[in-house]
PDB file of all heavy atoms in Angstrom:
ATOM      1  N   SER A   1      50.721  -7.483  63.829  1.00 92.00           N
ATOM      2  CA  SER A   1      50.309  -8.836  63.436  1.00 92.00           C
ATOM      3  C   SER A   1      48.791  -8.897  63.341  1.00 92.00           C
ATOM      4  O   SER A   1      48.107  -9.101  64.353  1.00 92.00           O
ATOM      5  CB  SER A   1      50.823  -9.837  64.462  1.00 92.00           C
ATOM      6  OG  SER A   1      52.232  -9.810  64.525  1.00 92.00           O
ATOM      7  N   ILE A   2      48.299  -8.735  62.135  1.00 89.00           N
ATOM      8  CA  ILE A   2      46.848  -8.683  61.946  1.00 89.00           C
ATOM      9  C   ILE A   2      46.337  -9.765  61.010  1.00 89.00           C
ATOM     10  O   ILE A   2      45.144  -9.880  60.791  1.00 89.00           O
ATOM     11  CB  ILE A   2      46.417  -7.310  61.399  1.00 89.00           C
ATOM     12  CG1 ILE A   2      47.114  -7.010  60.064  1.00 89.00           C
ATOM     13  CG2 ILE A   2      46.701  -6.215  62.417  1.00 89.00           C
ATOM     14  CD1 ILE A   2      46.593  -5.756  59.371  1.00 89.00           C
ATOM     15  N   PHE A   3      47.254 -10.543  60.410  1.00 89.00           N
ATOM     16  CA  PHE A   3      46.833 -11.470  59.362  1.00 89.00           C
ATOM     17  C   PHE A   3      45.911 -12.567  59.891  1.00 89.00           C
ATOM     18  O   PHE A   3      45.120 -13.127  59.135  1.00 89.00           O
ATOM     19  CB  PHE A   3      48.046 -12.100  58.690  1.00 89.00           C
ATOM     20  CG  PHE A   3      48.942 -11.111  57.994  1.00 89.00           C
ATOM     21  CD1 PHE A   3      50.195 -11.499  57.560  1.00 89.00           C
ATOM     22  CD2 PHE A   3      48.541  -9.808  57.776  1.00 89.00           C
ATOM     23  CE1 PHE A   3      51.042 -10.594  56.921  1.00 89.00           C
ATOM     24  CE2 PHE A   3      49.372  -8.892  57.139  1.00 89.00           C
ATOM     25  CZ  PHE A   3      50.627  -9.290  56.718  1.00 89.00           C
ATOM     26  N   SER A   4      46.013 -12.896  61.170  1.00 85.00           N
ATOM     27  CA  SER A   4      45.153 -13.939  61.724  1.00 85.00           C
ATOM     28  C   SER A   4      43.762 -13.396  62.034  1.00 85.00           C
ATOM     29  O   SER A   4      42.843 -14.177  62.329  1.00 85.00           O
ATOM     30  CB  SER A   4      45.772 -14.523  62.989  1.00 85.00           C
ATOM     31  OG  SER A   4      45.895 -13.519  63.970  1.00 85.00           O
ATOM     32  N   ILE A   5      43.627 -12.065  61.963  1.00 90.00           N
ATOM     33  CA  ILE A   5      42.353 -11.430  62.311  1.00 90.00           C
ATOM     34  C   ILE A   5      41.605 -10.987  61.056  1.00 90.00           C
ATOM     35  O   ILE A   5      40.399 -11.180  60.939  1.00 90.00           O
ATOM     36  CB  ILE A   5      42.595 -10.209  63.215  1.00 90.00           C
ATOM     37  CG1 ILE A   5      43.352 -10.616  64.469  1.00 90.00           C
ATOM     38  CG2 ILE A   5      41.269  -9.541  63.571  1.00 90.00           C
ATOM     39  CD1 ILE A   5      43.801  -9.446  65.315  1.00 90.00           C
ATOM     40  N   TYR A   6      42.380 -10.355  60.138  1.00 93.00           N
ATOM     41  CA  TYR A   6      41.763  -9.737  58.972  1.00 93.00           C
ATOM     42  C   TYR A   6      42.247 -10.362  57.674  1.00 93.00           C
ATOM     43  O   TYR A   6      43.397 -10.801  57.578  1.00 93.00           O
ATOM     44  CB  TYR A   6      42.090  -8.241  58.929  1.00 93.00           C
ATOM     45  CG  TYR A   6      41.625  -7.453  60.123  1.00 93.00           C
ATOM     46  CD1 TYR A   6      42.540  -6.814  60.949  1.00 93.00           C
ATOM     47  CD2 TYR A   6      40.275  -7.342  60.420  1.00 93.00           C
ATOM     48  CE1 TYR A   6      42.125  -6.089  62.041  1.00 93.00           C
ATOM     49  CE2 TYR A   6      39.850  -6.618  61.513  1.00 93.00           C
ATOM     50  CZ  TYR A   6      40.775  -5.997  62.325  1.00 93.00           C
ATOM     51  OH  TYR A   6      40.350  -5.283  63.413  1.00 93.00           O
ATOM     52  N   ALA A   7      41.384 -10.333  56.689  1.00 96.00           N
ATOM     53  CA  ALA A   7      41.837 -10.607  55.327  1.00 96.00           C
ATOM     54  C   ALA A   7      42.728  -9.455  54.878  1.00 96.00           C
ATOM     55  O   ALA A   7      42.575  -8.313  55.330  1.00 96.00           O
ATOM     56  CB  ALA A   7      40.638 -10.747  54.390  1.00 96.00           C
ATOM     57  N   MET A   8      43.654  -9.759  54.012  1.00 96.00           N
ATOM     58  CA  MET A   8      44.557  -8.745  53.464  1.00 96.00           C
ATOM     59  C   MET A   8      44.393  -8.688  51.957  1.00 96.00           C
ATOM     60  O   MET A   8      44.289  -9.726  51.287  1.00 96.00           O
ATOM     61  CB  MET A   8      46.014  -9.071  53.788  1.00 96.00           C
ATOM     62  CG  MET A   8      46.367  -8.868  55.243  1.00 96.00           C
ATOM     63  SD  MET A   8      46.190  -7.143  55.773  1.00 96.00           S
ATOM     64  CE  MET A   8      47.317  -6.302  54.665  1.00 96.00           C
ATOM     65  N   GLY A   9      44.393  -7.481  51.435  1.00 97.00           N
ATOM     66  CA  GLY A   9      44.178  -7.316  50.005  1.00 97.00           C
ATOM     67  C   GLY A   9      45.242  -6.470  49.348  1.00 97.00           C
ATOM     68  O   GLY A   9      45.862  -5.620  49.993  1.00 97.00           O
ATOM     69  N   TRP A  10      45.455  -6.740  48.075  1.00 98.00           N
ATOM     70  CA  TRP A  10      46.242  -5.855  47.219  1.00 98.00           C
ATOM     71  C   TRP A  10      45.246  -5.085  46.342  1.00 98.00           C
ATOM     72  O   TRP A  10      44.347  -5.693  45.732  1.00 98.00           O
ATOM     73  CB  TRP A  10      47.201  -6.639  46.337  1.00 98.00           C
ATOM     74  CG  TRP A  10      48.481  -7.000  47.032  1.00 98.00           C
ATOM     75  CD1 TRP A  10      48.807  -8.197  47.605  1.00 98.00           C
ATOM     76  CD2 TRP A  10      49.608  -6.144  47.225  1.00 98.00           C
ATOM     77  NE1 TRP A  10      50.059  -8.144  48.141  1.00 98.00           N
ATOM     78  CE2 TRP A  10      50.583  -6.897  47.919  1.00 98.00           C
ATOM     79  CE3 TRP A  10      49.907  -4.824  46.878  1.00 98.00           C
ATOM     80  CZ2 TRP A  10      51.827  -6.370  48.274  1.00 98.00           C
ATOM     81  CZ3 TRP A  10      51.141  -4.305  47.224  1.00 98.00           C
ATOM     82  CH2 TRP A  10      52.086  -5.071  47.919  1.00 98.00           C
ATOM     83  N   TYR A  11      45.452  -3.799  46.311  1.00 98.00           N
ATOM     84  CA  TYR A  11      44.602  -2.911  45.537  1.00 98.00           C
ATOM     85  C   TYR A  11      45.489  -2.166  44.531  1.00 98.00           C
ATOM     86  O   TYR A  11      46.693  -2.062  44.728  1.00 98.00           O
ATOM     87  CB  TYR A  11      43.936  -1.876  46.443  1.00 98.00           C
ATOM     88  CG  TYR A  11      43.087  -2.445  47.550  1.00 98.00           C
ATOM     89  CD1 TYR A  11      43.679  -2.975  48.700  1.00 98.00           C
ATOM     90  CD2 TYR A  11      41.702  -2.427  47.475  1.00 98.00           C
ATOM     91  CE1 TYR A  11      42.903  -3.486  49.739  1.00 98.00           C
ATOM     92  CE2 TYR A  11      40.916  -2.926  48.504  1.00 98.00           C
ATOM     93  CZ  TYR A  11      41.530  -3.449  49.635  1.00 98.00           C
ATOM     94  OH  TYR A  11      40.751  -3.947  50.649  1.00 98.00           O
ATOM     95  N   ARG A  12      44.857  -1.624  43.504  1.00 98.00           N
ATOM     96  CA  ARG A  12      45.619  -0.786  42.578  1.00 98.00           C
ATOM     97  C   ARG A  12      44.767   0.369  42.091  1.00 98.00           C
ATOM     98  O   ARG A  12      43.543   0.275  42.056  1.00 98.00           O
ATOM     99  CB  ARG A  12      46.138  -1.600  41.384  1.00 98.00           C
ATOM    100  CG  ARG A  12      45.058  -2.101  40.424  1.00 98.00           C
ATOM    101  CD  ARG A  12      45.677  -2.987  39.350  1.00 98.00           C
ATOM    102  NE  ARG A  12      44.676  -3.484  38.406  1.00 98.00           N
ATOM    103  CZ  ARG A  12      44.922  -4.389  37.471  1.00 98.00           C
ATOM    104  NH1 ARG A  12      46.149  -4.912  37.357  1.00 98.00           N
ATOM    105  NH2 ARG A  12      43.958  -4.774  36.653  1.00 98.00           N
ATOM    106  N   GLN A  13      45.455   1.443  41.727  1.00 98.00           N
ATOM    107  CA  GLN A  13      44.768   2.614  41.191  1.00 98.00           C
ATOM    108  C   GLN A  13      45.534   3.120  39.986  1.00 98.00           C
ATOM    109  O   GLN A  13      46.692   3.543  40.118  1.00 98.00           O
ATOM    110  CB  GLN A  13      44.639   3.711  42.240  1.00 98.00           C
ATOM    111  CG  GLN A  13      43.797   4.884  41.786  1.00 98.00           C
ATOM    112  CD  GLN A  13      43.413   5.798  42.927  1.00 98.00           C
ATOM    113  OE1 GLN A  13      44.062   5.831  43.973  1.00 98.00           O
ATOM    114  NE2 GLN A  13      42.348   6.559  42.743  1.00 98.00           N
ATOM    115  N   ALA A  14      44.885   3.059  38.854  1.00 96.00           N
ATOM    116  CA  ALA A  14      45.475   3.572  37.626  1.00 96.00           C
ATOM    117  C   ALA A  14      45.076   5.037  37.467  1.00 96.00           C
ATOM    118  O   ALA A  14      44.071   5.474  38.033  1.00 96.00           O
ATOM    119  CB  ALA A  14      44.994   2.755  36.426  1.00 96.00           C
ATOM    120  N   PRO A  15      45.838   5.807  36.712  1.00 92.00           N
ATOM    121  CA  PRO A  15      45.511   7.227  36.529  1.00 92.00           C
ATOM    122  C   PRO A  15      44.091   7.417  36.016  1.00 92.00           C
ATOM    123  O   PRO A  15      43.673   6.771  35.056  1.00 92.00           O
ATOM    124  CB  PRO A  15      46.544   7.684  35.492  1.00 92.00           C
ATOM    125  CG  PRO A  15      47.681   6.757  35.656  1.00 92.00           C
ATOM    126  CD  PRO A  15      47.077   5.428  36.015  1.00 92.00           C
ATOM    127  N   GLY A  16      43.346   8.277  36.694  1.00 94.00           N
ATOM    128  CA  GLY A  16      41.992   8.583  36.274  1.00 94.00           C
ATOM    129  C   GLY A  16      40.955   7.532  36.614  1.00 94.00           C
ATOM    130  O   GLY A  16      39.796   7.649  36.208  1.00 94.00           O
ATOM    131  N   LYS A  17      41.373   6.514  37.345  1.00 96.00           N
ATOM    132  CA  LYS A  17      40.437   5.438  37.693  1.00 96.00           C
ATOM    133  C   LYS A  17      40.337   5.282  39.209  1.00 96.00           C
ATOM    134  O   LYS A  17      41.209   5.735  39.946  1.00 96.00           O
ATOM    135  CB  LYS A  17      40.895   4.115  37.065  1.00 96.00           C
ATOM    136  CG  LYS A  17      40.846   4.117  35.546  1.00 96.00           C
ATOM    137  CD  LYS A  17      41.122   2.737  34.992  1.00 96.00           C
ATOM    138  CE  LYS A  17      40.996   2.695  33.487  1.00 96.00           C
ATOM    139  NZ  LYS A  17      41.233   1.329  32.941  1.00 96.00           N
ATOM    140  N   GLN A  18      39.283   4.633  39.639  1.00 97.00           N
ATOM    141  CA  GLN A  18      39.114   4.366  41.058  1.00 97.00           C
ATOM    142  C   GLN A  18      40.014   3.211  41.504  1.00 97.00           C
ATOM    143  O   GLN A  18      40.379   2.352  40.702  1.00 97.00           O
ATOM    144  CB  GLN A  18      37.646   4.022  41.347  1.00 97.00           C
ATOM    145  CG  GLN A  18      36.697   5.206  41.234  1.00 97.00           C
ATOM    146  CD  GLN A  18      35.317   4.885  41.769  1.00 97.00           C
ATOM    147  OE1 GLN A  18      34.904   3.728  41.801  1.00 97.00           O
ATOM    148  NE2 GLN A  18      34.602   5.907  42.197  1.00 97.00           N
ATOM    149  N   ARG A  19      40.347   3.223  42.771  1.00 97.00           N
ATOM    150  CA  ARG A  19      41.113   2.126  43.337  1.00 97.00           C
ATOM    151  C   ARG A  19      40.273   0.863  43.292  1.00 97.00           C
ATOM    152  O   ARG A  19      39.086   0.885  43.603  1.00 97.00           O
ATOM    153  CB  ARG A  19      41.510   2.465  44.772  1.00 97.00           C
ATOM    154  CG  ARG A  19      42.526   1.540  45.395  1.00 97.00           C
ATOM    155  CD  ARG A  19      42.979   2.116  46.735  1.00 97.00           C
ATOM    156  NE  ARG A  19      43.720   3.359  46.543  1.00 97.00           N
ATOM    157  CZ  ARG A  19      43.995   4.210  47.511  1.00 97.00           C
ATOM    158  NH1 ARG A  19      43.557   3.977  48.738  1.00 97.00           N
ATOM    159  NH2 ARG A  19      44.681   5.303  47.268  1.00 97.00           N
ATOM    160  N   GLU A  20      40.924  -0.252  42.923  1.00 97.00           N
ATOM    161  CA  GLU A  20      40.212  -1.522  42.832  1.00 97.00           C
ATOM    162  C   GLU A  20      40.979  -2.615  43.566  1.00 97.00           C
ATOM    163  O   GLU A  20      42.203  -2.597  43.632  1.00 97.00           O
ATOM    164  CB  GLU A  20      40.019  -1.926  41.368  1.00 97.00           C
ATOM    165  CG  GLU A  20      41.310  -2.151  40.599  1.00 97.00           C
ATOM    166  CD  GLU A  20      41.081  -2.724  39.209  1.00 97.00           C
ATOM    167  OE1 GLU A  20      39.968  -3.214  38.928  1.00 97.00           O
ATOM    168  OE2 GLU A  20      42.026  -2.692  38.404  1.00 97.00           O
ATOM    169  N   LEU A  21      40.227  -3.569  44.060  1.00 98.00           N
ATOM    170  CA  LEU A  21      40.813  -4.728  44.727  1.00 98.00           C
ATOM    171  C   LEU A  21      41.194  -5.752  43.656  1.00 98.00           C
ATOM    172  O   LEU A  21      40.353  -6.122  42.837  1.00 98.00           O
ATOM    173  CB  LEU A  21      39.811  -5.330  45.713  1.00 98.00           C
ATOM    174  CG  LEU A  21      40.218  -6.596  46.433  1.00 98.00           C
ATOM    175  CD1 LEU A  21      41.390  -6.334  47.371  1.00 98.00           C
ATOM    176  CD2 LEU A  21      39.029  -7.165  47.207  1.00 98.00           C
ATOM    177  N   VAL A  22      42.433  -6.219  43.689  1.00 98.00           N
ATOM    178  CA  VAL A  22      42.851  -7.204  42.688  1.00 98.00           C
ATOM    179  C   VAL A  22      43.081  -8.585  43.271  1.00 98.00           C
ATOM    180  O   VAL A  22      42.970  -9.581  42.556  1.00 98.00           O
ATOM    181  CB  VAL A  22      44.117  -6.752  41.929  1.00 98.00           C
ATOM    182  CG1 VAL A  22      43.833  -5.497  41.134  1.00 98.00           C
ATOM    183  CG2 VAL A  22      45.295  -6.533  42.846  1.00 98.00           C
ATOM    184  N   ALA A  23      43.405  -8.652  44.550  1.00 98.00           N
ATOM    185  CA  ALA A  23      43.646  -9.961  45.163  1.00 98.00           C
ATOM    186  C   ALA A  23      43.425  -9.857  46.662  1.00 98.00           C
ATOM    187  O   ALA A  23      43.725  -8.823  47.264  1.00 98.00           O
ATOM    188  CB  ALA A  23      45.060 -10.446  44.874  1.00 98.00           C
ATOM    189  N   VAL A  24      42.931 -10.922  47.260  1.00 98.00           N
ATOM    190  CA  VAL A  24      42.715 -10.955  48.688  1.00 98.00           C
ATOM    191  C   VAL A  24      43.109 -12.329  49.216  1.00 98.00           C
ATOM    192  O   VAL A  24      42.906 -13.338  48.546  1.00 98.00           O
ATOM    193  CB  VAL A  24      41.248 -10.614  49.045  1.00 98.00           C
ATOM    194  CG1 VAL A  24      40.292 -11.615  48.429  1.00 98.00           C
ATOM    195  CG2 VAL A  24      41.048 -10.533  50.545  1.00 98.00           C
ATOM    196  N   ILE A  25      43.692 -12.328  50.411  1.00 97.00           N
ATOM    197  CA  ILE A  25      43.984 -13.567  51.115  1.00 97.00           C
ATOM    198  C   ILE A  25      43.287 -13.494  52.463  1.00 97.00           C
ATOM    199  O   ILE A  25      43.479 -12.556  53.234  1.00 97.00           O
ATOM    200  CB  ILE A  25      45.506 -13.826  51.242  1.00 97.00           C
ATOM    201  CG1 ILE A  25      45.770 -15.173  51.901  1.00 97.00           C
ATOM    202  CG2 ILE A  25      46.231 -12.689  51.955  1.00 97.00           C
ATOM    203  CD1 ILE A  25      47.212 -15.656  51.730  1.00 97.00           C
ATOM    204  N   PHE A  26      42.464 -14.482  52.739  1.00 96.00           N
ATOM    205  CA  PHE A  26      41.664 -14.484  53.953  1.00 96.00           C
ATOM    206  C   PHE A  26      42.480 -15.003  55.132  1.00 96.00           C
ATOM    207  O   PHE A  26      43.520 -15.642  54.951  1.00 96.00           O
ATOM    208  CB  PHE A  26      40.402 -15.303  53.721  1.00 96.00           C
ATOM    209  CG  PHE A  26      39.545 -14.766  52.611  1.00 96.00           C
ATOM    210  CD1 PHE A  26      39.577 -15.329  51.341  1.00 96.00           C
ATOM    211  CD2 PHE A  26      38.716 -13.672  52.819  1.00 96.00           C
ATOM    212  CE1 PHE A  26      38.797 -14.826  50.306  1.00 96.00           C
ATOM    213  CE2 PHE A  26      37.943 -13.152  51.799  1.00 96.00           C
ATOM    214  CZ  PHE A  26      37.981 -13.729  50.531  1.00 96.00           C
ATOM    215  N   SER A  27      41.972 -14.729  56.339  1.00 92.00           N
ATOM    216  CA  SER A  27      42.715 -15.134  57.535  1.00 92.00           C
ATOM    217  C   SER A  27      42.936 -16.636  57.561  1.00 92.00           C
ATOM    218  O   SER A  27      43.945 -17.118  58.079  1.00 92.00           O
ATOM    219  CB  SER A  27      41.986 -14.663  58.795  1.00 92.00           C
ATOM    220  OG  SER A  27      40.654 -15.161  58.805  1.00 92.00           O
ATOM    221  N   GLY A  28      42.045 -17.396  56.971  1.00 92.00           N
ATOM    222  CA  GLY A  28      42.194 -18.845  56.919  1.00 92.00           C
ATOM    223  C   GLY A  28      43.094 -19.339  55.807  1.00 92.00           C
ATOM    224  O   GLY A  28      43.398 -20.536  55.733  1.00 92.00           O
ATOM    225  N   GLY A  29      43.540 -18.431  54.960  1.00 92.00           N
ATOM    226  CA  GLY A  29      44.481 -18.779  53.899  1.00 92.00           C
ATOM    227  C   GLY A  29      43.887 -18.861  52.502  1.00 92.00           C
ATOM    228  O   GLY A  29      44.625 -18.935  51.514  1.00 92.00           O
ATOM    229  N   GLY A  30      42.580 -18.855  52.392  1.00 96.00           N
ATOM    230  CA  GLY A  30      41.969 -18.859  51.071  1.00 96.00           C
ATOM    231  C   GLY A  30      42.242 -17.574  50.326  1.00 96.00           C
ATOM    232  O   GLY A  30      42.554 -16.540  50.934  1.00 96.00           O
ATOM    233  N   THR A  31      42.149 -17.634  49.007  1.00 97.00           N
ATOM    234  CA  THR A  31      42.450 -16.466  48.181  1.00 97.00           C
ATOM    235  C   THR A  31      41.342 -16.219  47.170  1.00 97.00           C
ATOM    236  O   THR A  31      40.561 -17.129  46.837  1.00 97.00           O
ATOM    237  CB  THR A  31      43.782 -16.634  47.430  1.00 97.00           C
ATOM    238  OG1 THR A  31      43.707 -17.812  46.604  1.00 97.00           O
ATOM    239  CG2 THR A  31      44.945 -16.780  48.404  1.00 97.00           C
ATOM    240  N   ASN A  32      41.309 -15.002  46.673  1.00 98.00           N
ATOM    241  CA  ASN A  32      40.373 -14.661  45.615  1.00 98.00           C
ATOM    242  C   ASN A  32      41.003 -13.565  44.767  1.00 98.00           C
ATOM    243  O   ASN A  32      41.803 -12.756  45.281  1.00 98.00           O
ATOM    244  CB  ASN A  32      39.041 -14.198  46.195  1.00 98.00           C
ATOM    245  CG  ASN A  32      37.908 -14.366  45.208  1.00 98.00           C
ATOM    246  OD1 ASN A  32      38.086 -14.911  44.121  1.00 98.00           O
ATOM    247  ND2 ASN A  32      36.722 -13.877  45.570  1.00 98.00           N
TER     248      ASN A  32
END
């Protein structure tokens, strides 16, 4: 149970590309 402590992100990596952050949800519930 870490969601109350840390923001959580979804990342993706396409072939030949670097991993990138696509979405994040903060511990307070905000998103980006």
Side-chain angles (χ1 to χ4, degrees):
S1 299
I2 58 172
F3 298 168
S4 62
I5 303 172
Y6 300 117
M8 288 297 301
W10 277 99
Y11 302 77
R12 68 185 180 188
Q13 187 167 22
K17 294 188 176 181
Q18 289 191 335
R19 191 172 294 166
E20 62 172 345
L21 176 66
V22 296
V24 61
I25 184 165
F26 300 100
S27 56
T31 59
N32 203 5

